[in-house]
Amino acid sequence: MGHARIPQNLKRKEGRGDEKISRVDFVFIAFVLISIVLLVKLYRTQVMQHSMWETRAEEQRLATIEMTAERGEIFLHDTDGPYPLAVNREYLLAYVSPKDVTEPEKVALELSQALSVDAGEILAKLSDRDDPFEIIKRKLSDDEVARVRELKLGGVALLSEKYRYYPADTLASHIVGFSSLSERGGAGGYGIEASFDDALRGFSSRMEQERDAGGRWIALSNTRGHGPNHGDNLVLTIDRVIQHETEKILKEVIERHSADSATAIVMDPETGKILSMATQPDFNPNEYAQAEDYSVFLNPALSLPYEPGSIMKPFTMAIGIDEKKVSPTTEYTDTGAVTESGYTVRNSEDKVYGRSSMTKVLEDSINTGMIFVERQVGHKVFAERLRRFGFGEKTGIDLPAEAAGNLHNLDDQRIGIQFYTASFGQGITATPLQITAAYAALANGGMLMRPQIVDAIEYPDGTREEVKPEEVRRVISKETSATIGRMLRSVVVNGHGKRADVAGYEVVGKTGTAQVGKTDGKGYEEGITIGSFAGYAPRENPKFVVLVRIVNPKDVQWAESSAAPAFGQLMRFLLEYARIEPTEAIKP
């Protein structure tokens, strides 16, 4: 049986068909694979990497600018309105672009003459020809700016910067502190600049706006974000005129007595508002970086406690009167010394006063008389009442680095000698601010007020918040306050406070001459004393409480010759400045 023959032309057609099908399959498969790859990539791009590409698109489409917050400014009270104590000021700096300077030697020489900068230093900064920016000098004066502009040097330009500026230089330097030199106002260091740093600094922000392909801002596009929250402005309770006069008097006192330092505080007894707080020597906040000893930045009025001496005696007496253990006419017999646990406490200059009333105890500043009062009150009550006056705790004033003082000697009631010395201001420590606040309580009817340094806060939106005075607690009765006022008036008229008096006014107060304890806590420094006077006026309806402290006066020993006259000078100014009517006839 034979096989059928397939025509040759038919075989060729079938072969071409197979080949055609094979190619189609290949193309199809390739298309499918490519499509899958593209789909995977598209999925990754649009879904998995959506956030990344969206961010990049936003960065290309949007322009971002940093909006820096302005640091809040600080003001004092003045008769003509708020007086600027700390403000933001724009300065210019001179810089060079070395790559744009064609004659380095000439530029270095001319800039050196214009800005008083070493020509060699400038030439060194011009040496790197690829360097686009080198600062030559910051904070140029007006004359320096004019000279640079007149030179018209290629590659030399000016750039503005903002810095913290203190228009009054040293005035109230221990109160304001300083802010680090930075175009953003920097961080506050010491004083109000530190304690209110967060409020003064404000918050910077970022602004975003659409731009075109050429990088230009699109004027009608939407703007994202909001402007910066500028810092708050502060108005202090300090009166510029009173602060200036207080500092002036302290400078004179230091020069007159060759003293190491001097501190004074003026307070409104009704509100606790600080009207002046001064220490000499002071410093210039504009030049704080030049200080060799950083301890000059500490405010001794609240940071450096000391053994106050006899200005503490009115508190011991007030406690005794308020506890109804003594009265102004209560008498005891002074023998000149008290012995306790092997220790003997004597009166100043070993004086013996014999039979004496409590008023005479304050007039003559009798140490043994204070021990008598403390014994009547008892150790426990005495310590508790002293703490109620605010001793041994911080006052809470809105200033940094406040010290609490030290009443630890009164923790153990078995050691009587420590209570005896504390009754006349030795063996315990207090800050000038604590003492001033406590005297304000004696003056105002017995209410301890929190010392206040900020009078108002002005917010960026234009609103203003008045800071209200704050009562801490009652420490003595109104009757006791009035009684102590009469007794302290007698101290000024008949006792050691005569040189603190002001003709025509009932000034009250007390002197205190204290020894200075050694740093190792063992005994006292030989020949070094601190003279203080604290008091208020007028006796009825007092307007000012004043404390003056003089450290180590070289030519006098007792406070009645150093602190008391300075107190009288300052109090006279205050009463005249406030136009307080005289309260008694002026003796011819």
Side-chain angles (χ1 to χ4, degrees):
M1 185 179 213
H3 294 283
R5 272 180 134 179
I6 300 175
Q8 291 296 325
N9 60 345
L10 183 58
K11 287 185 177 179
R12 282 196 297 269
K13 287 181 180 179
E14 289 178 346
R16 291 193 186 113
D18 293 341
E19 184 179 344
K20 184 177 180 181
I21 293 173
S22 177
R23 289 176 180 175
V24 170
D25 291 344
F26 175 78
V27 171
F28 175 77
I29 293 171
F31 174 78
V32 171
L33 291 175
I34 292 172
S35 298
I36 292 173
V37 170
L38 292 174
L39 287 172
V40 170
K41 287 187 175 183
L42 188 62
Y43 176 80
R44 290 180 61 191
T45 301
Q46 293 189 337
V47 179
M48 298 179 66
Q49 297 177 340
H50 173 78
S51 298
M52 181 187 74
W53 292 109
E54 183 180 46
T55 301
R56 290 187 181 182
E58 289 288 302
E59 291 174 350
Q60 291 177 354
R61 185 172 60 86
L62 297 176
T64 302
I65 184 171
E66 293 287 340
M67 305 290 288
T68 303
E70 292 281 348
R71 189 172 181 84
E73 299 182 327
I74 304 171
F75 300 88
L76 304 180
H77 279 285
D78 199 3
T79 52
D80 297 326
Y83 180 88
L85 183 63
V87 298
N88 302 315
R89 178 175 174 179
E90 187 176 85
Y91 290 89
L92 292 177
L93 65 80
Y95 73 93
V96 293
S97 177
K99 64 185 181 65
D100 297 322
V101 175
T102 57
E103 300 178 274
E105 291 79 6
K106 176 186 176 183
V107 169
L109 179 60
E110 295 191 8
L111 275 182
S112 172
Q113 295 172 346
L115 301 177
S116 300
V117 177
D118 183 71
E121 293 181 9
I122 299 176
L123 195 59
K125 292 182 178 181
L126 292 171
S127 61
D128 186 355
R129 307 300 294 168
D130 294 326
D131 190 352
F133 183 84
E134 283 288 346
I135 295 174
I136 301 301
K137 189 174 183 178
R138 294 180 182 272
K139 298 180 72 174
L140 304 185
S141 67
D142 293 340
D143 289 340
E144 289 173 330
V145 170
R147 289 195 293 267
V148 170
R149 285 175 172 163
E150 288 174 3
L151 292 175
K152 297 180 180 179
L153 298 171
V156 178
L158 300 172
L159 183 66
S160 66
E161 289 185 308
K162 284 191 175 179
Y163 285 98
R164 202 62 161 168
Y165 177 62
Y166 304 90
D169 291 331
T170 60
L171 184 72
S173 58
H174 285 99
I175 297 173
V176 69
F178 55 82
S179 177
S180 59
L181 298 181
S182 164
E183 62 180 11
R184 296 190 178 186
Y190 297 88
I192 288 289
E193 292 276 32
S195 58
F196 282 84
D197 185 52
D198 288 343
L200 289 166
R201 189 184 303 189
F203 299 94
S204 299
S205 66
R206 299 173 66 186
M207 297 286 288
E208 294 180 339
Q209 188 167 348
E210 294 185 28
R211 59 185 178 184
D212 60 22
R216 296 178 294 271
W217 284 55
I218 301 175
L220 299 180
S221 64
N222 293 329
T223 299
R224 299 183 183 181
H226 55 81
N229 292 324
H230 297 306
D232 304 332
N233 291 338
L234 303 177
V235 180
L236 305 187
T237 59
I238 301 297
D239 183 291
R240 183 192 69 85
V241 177
I242 296 177
Q243 181 71 25
H244 179 272
E245 187 68 18
T246 303
E247 293 183 11
K248 173 175 167 288
I249 290 172
L250 292 185
K251 289 177 183 177
E252 294 171 353
V253 167
I254 288 179
E255 184 176 354
R256 183 182 309 123
H257 300 295
S258 299
D260 292 349
S261 65
T263 298
I265 302 173
V266 178
M267 177 185 285
D268 178 346
E270 290 298 320
T271 63
K273 293 183 179 182
I274 304 295
L275 304 179
S276 74
M277 179 187 289
T279 289
Q280 293 295 324
D282 54 17
F283 65 94
N284 188 337
N286 292 309
E287 302 171 352
Y288 76 91
Q290 299 178 18
E292 297 180 359
D293 183 2
Y294 286 180
S295 65
V296 72
F297 301 143
L298 282 175
N299 188 343
L302 54 95
S303 298
L304 300 179
Y306 72 113
E307 296 186 31
S310 295
I311 57 173
M312 291 292 291
K313 289 176 179 176
F315 303 115
T316 301
M317 189 64 71
I319 292 169
I321 293 172
D322 212 54
E323 290 288 329
K324 296 180 170 46
K325 300 297 183 180
V326 296
S327 72
T329 57
T330 300
E331 293 184 336
Y332 88 112
T333 300
D334 168 48
T335 61
V338 172
T339 300
E340 172 72 19
S341 303
Y343 295 93
T344 299
V345 179
R346 303 181 184 278
N347 293 323
S348 176
E349 298 180 302
D350 294 332
K351 290 184 178 180
V352 178
Y353 295 91
R355 195 161 186 81
S356 303
S357 68
M358 293 298 101
T359 298
K360 181 177 175 59
V361 165
L362 286 181
E363 289 175 351
D364 293 328
S365 200
I366 304 173
N367 291 342
T368 60
M370 290 296 103
I371 295 175
F372 171 81
V373 175
E374 197 282 331
R375 280 174 164 172
Q376 306 309 305
V377 171
H379 297 341
K380 181 179 179 181
V381 173
F382 174 70
E384 290 174 349
R385 296 297 299 265
L386 210 56
R387 288 189 171 93
R388 286 192 62 78
F389 270 104
F391 298 109
E393 66 179 24
K394 297 179 180 180
T395 68
I397 190 171
D398 289 323
L399 286 170
E402 182 182 11
N406 192 336
L407 295 186
H408 293 327
N409 275 0
L410 307 185
D411 290 343
D412 191 343
Q413 298 178 26
R414 297 171 300 177
I415 308 177
I417 189 65
Q418 296 185 159
F419 287 82
Y420 295 166
T421 58
S423 70
F424 54 84
Q426 294 283 175
I428 58 175
T429 65
T431 66
L433 182 62
Q434 288 174 320
I435 298 167
T436 305
Y439 264 85
L442 295 180
N444 67 19
M447 183 64 67
L448 183 67
M449 303 298 296
R450 189 174 307 284
Q452 182 178 338
I453 195 70
V454 175
D455 200 35
I457 303 173
E458 297 176 345
Y459 298 105
D461 62 4
T463 59
R464 177 184 172 103
E465 178 186 354
E466 303 289 337
V467 180
K468 297 181 180 179
E470 181 181 348
E471 295 180 351
V472 180
R473 55 182 169 265
R474 175 163 293 281
V475 293
I476 55 173
S477 68
K478 291 183 178 180
E479 293 75 16
T480 299
S481 170
T483 300
I484 284 294
R486 290 190 292 270
M487 295 174 77
L488 291 179
R489 175 58 183 162
S490 185
V491 170
V492 172
V493 174
N494 304 310
H496 297 300
K498 295 183 179 67
R499 298 182 67 181
D501 206 6
V502 178
Y505 299 91
E506 283 192 286
V507 175
V508 306
K510 182 72 182 73
T511 57
T513 303
Q515 296 173 289
V516 178
K518 293 182 178 179
T519 55
D520 61 4
K522 299 178 180 179
Y524 294 90
E525 297 288 349
E526 186 67 29
I528 299 178
T529 60
I530 297 177
S532 303
F533 194 96
Y536 49 92
R539 179 178 64 81
E540 295 185 8
N541 192 24
K543 300 300 182 183
F544 304 103
V545 173
V546 175
L547 177 139
V548 175
R549 182 183 75 163
I550 315 298
V551 178
N552 193 24
K554 306 297 191 302
D555 62 336
V556 294
Q557 181 179 2
W558 305 108
E560 61 186 289
S561 300
S562 59
F567 173 97
Q569 183 181 355
L570 180 54
M571 184 61 80
R572 182 181 301 107
F573 164 79
L574 291 169
L575 295 168
E576 292 175 355
Y577 174 69
R579 298 181 181 179
I580 305 298
E581 291 294 326
T583 54
E584 60 183 14
I586 300 177
K587 298 178 182 179

